[in-house]
Amino acid sequence: MASLLMIAVAAGLGAIVLTAMLRATTSILLALAVPEGPGRTGGDLGPAVSTGWIHMEHPWLLPIVVAAGMGGAAALSLLETAQSVAGTDGLIAALDRRDLTGLHVRGAAIKVGGTALTLGGGGSGGTEGPMAQVAASLAASVVRKLRLSPEESRMWVITGLAAGVGALFQAPWGGAVLGAELLRRRGVEWRLLARTIPAAHIAHWVYMAVYGPGPFLGHVPIALVPQLSDSFAIAAVGVCCGLIARLYIGATLVVHTRLTASRQQRPLLTATLAGAAIGFAGICIPTTLGTGYSTIEAALSTSAVLAVPLWTLAVLPVVKTAATALTLGSGGVGGYFGPAMVIGAAVGALGWRLTVQFGMHPGPVAAFIMAGVAACLGPAVGCPLAAIVMCTEATGNSFPHTGMLLAVGISALVLGNRTLFPSQNASPRHAR
């Protein structure tokens, strides 16, 4: 019980620090070019961005700001040791080997700073990957002091990462399931839920003590069963999400591989040039920048989706994919979950808009948006069940709507065995 409490509280505090740092850097860096200010979660420009073009007082500053943020993150990453765990895939591999030597408090601090600079400066990425690594590092520091066995240590570190992500996304049930699902390409390590569920809720309570209660994307009631015509349209959204997830996975892995030599030999120059390119893209399509969580939140409103030009919804998945691949492949610090959510939301919004264009009368846009978010995120990271639970919690609903289940299932079939994390164990019997 003492181990559970210490790890959960540490995870909640880690989520608080990451959120505070991200809000601060967003207010300082992106505010230089865009007067709208940060979104509620930090790391993006708020709901005003989501309606298309926004006023920029100094658009020419945007490439400089993004380049500075990513260059700073790359410089900070140079302080990491050679044994440090790199990214979510590296974390999965370390846990699979029961090797926690690369997880330490110093690495957690560097990860928080690098994430704040990258995303607060406008680089494209999510917060869940850094949060998972921060919480895992804090948990590893706790279990080392307790001198636990390698298997017990592994389970407690997984518990920590689940609690951290659940707290940050204000989705404790989803975070708990994520911890049990993330290390496998298929299936769930059910025995972990006895630890991850209470830990995620404790961490969530700690986080709420500072940032207050409420769903991550606000209260958005969604009918449990969509009308028949909507089901066909949402099924098409699932197909498109599976296809765009293929592109997302392929692009991120290819860019990461192609930039390996440049990233190792000229880390600061590589990250800075990539940041400048992303800044120029952000001048044309502001939703390219940052986490994009406020984009999803705004897209749950019918009026907001109707205000966005169709061409923006059509190109956003491709542009966001390219920006994320370039950000994370060049040395920026961030996660893959957030961009996948934005891409899925854009696909869902486009599907809803097209049904309107064709003279149909679809149901609430939120059903399409959240179906797209879950259908793009879940299969791409090998965690479809966690994505469904998190998306349900994120909108304040108690049960997932059947359209979301349909879209996730279809997307998983289209995507096949591909995943963003090659280190995920392909065997259904992961635990040893």
Side-chain angles (χ1 to χ4, degrees):
M1 184 62 184
S3 301
L4 176 70
L5 189 60
M6 286 190 291
I7 288 170
V9 171
L13 293 174
I16 290 170
V17 172
L18 180 59
T19 300
M21 289 288 291
L22 193 52
R23 287 184 176 184
T25 52
T26 305
S27 299
I28 295 169
L29 294 175
L30 278 180
L32 292 173
V34 184
E36 271 73 10
R40 178 172 54 86
T41 60
D44 60 15
L45 297 172
V49 162
S50 308
T51 57
W53 295 96
I54 60 173
H55 169 67
M56 294 188 185
E57 291 184 347
H58 308 292
W60 55 271
L61 273 177
L62 199 51
I64 299 174
V65 168
V66 183
M70 287 185 56
L76 198 59
S77 296
L78 295 177
L79 300 176
E80 293 184 337
T81 64
Q83 292 78 27
S84 295
V85 168
T88 302
D89 193 59
L91 177 58
I92 293 171
L95 290 169
D96 189 47
R97 298 191 308 268
R98 279 65 173 173
D99 179 11
L100 307 182
T101 56
L103 296 169
H104 39 72
V105 174
R106 176 184 176 183
I110 293 172
K111 187 64 65 174
V112 168
T115 303
L117 288 171
T118 299
L119 305 183
S124 179
T127 53
E128 80 305 317
M131 185 65 252
Q133 193 165 334
V134 167
S137 297
L138 296 175
S141 299
V142 171
V143 299
R144 272 194 289 269
K145 293 183 182 300
L146 298 176
R147 301 180 183 275
L148 302 178
S149 68
E151 178 59 22
E152 275 290 304
S153 296
R154 168 188 172 271
M155 294 178 71
W156 281 121
V157 170
I158 294 172
T159 299
L161 78 85
V165 174
L168 188 70
F169 281 88
Q170 296 173 283
W173 290 102
V177 176
L178 178 70
E181 197 175 17
L182 182 61
L183 271 68
R184 296 182 175 195
R185 194 162 297 189
R186 293 186 183 278
V188 179
E189 197 170 346
W190 297 106
R191 61 176 180 155
L192 286 171
L193 293 177
R195 304 181 189 219
T196 60
I197 289 174
H201 281 83
I202 293 171
H204 183 218
W205 294 333
V206 172
Y207 188 82
M208 285 194 302
V210 175
Y211 290 110
F216 186 67
L217 299 175
H219 289 278
V220 185
I222 301 176
L224 192 60
V225 181
Q227 57 192 32
L228 184 60
S229 58
D230 283 358
S231 297
F232 287 111
I234 290 175
V237 168
V239 173
C240 294
C241 283
L243 294 174
I244 197 67
R246 281 182 172 231
L247 173 65
Y248 183 52
I249 292 171
T252 52
L253 296 180
V254 166
V255 172
H256 189 274
T257 301
R258 293 287 180 87
L259 292 180
T260 297
S262 177
R263 192 172 58 246
Q264 292 174 346
Q265 296 169 11
R266 298 174 294 275
L268 300 184
L269 180 62
T270 302
T272 301
L273 291 178
I278 294 165
F280 280 114
I283 294 175
C284 300
I285 305 178
T287 43
T288 303
L289 303 170
T291 62
Y293 297 139
S294 289
T295 298
I296 303 172
E297 184 178 2
L300 295 171
S301 163
T302 299
S303 59
V305 173
L306 288 173
V308 180
L310 269 177
W311 72 266
T312 301
L313 294 175
V315 302
L316 179 57
V318 176
V319 176
K320 189 66 174 176
T321 293
T324 304
L326 193 55
T327 298
L328 304 183
S330 64
V333 182
Y336 291 106
F337 280 47
M341 294 169 68
V342 175
I343 292 167
V347 173
L350 181 62
W352 185 86
R353 281 288 300 273
L354 289 176
T355 59
V356 173
Q357 291 290 114
F358 291 141
M360 301 172 63
H361 300 283
V365 67
F368 284 73
I369 298 293
M370 297 314 298
V373 170
C376 191
L377 171 62
V381 300
C383 302
L385 181 58
I388 290 170
V389 177
M390 291 182 76
C391 288
T392 302
E393 284 186 282
T395 51
N397 290 282
S398 301
F399 300 97
H401 65 93
T402 54
M404 183 190 296
L405 303 179
L406 176 65
V408 170
I410 292 174
S411 176
L413 289 175
V414 173
L415 188 58
N417 204 37
R418 296 168 180 81
T419 175
L420 278 164
F421 308 126
S423 294
Q424 282 176 324
N425 197 301
S427 169
R429 294 184 297 275
H430 176 73
R432 294 197 287 268

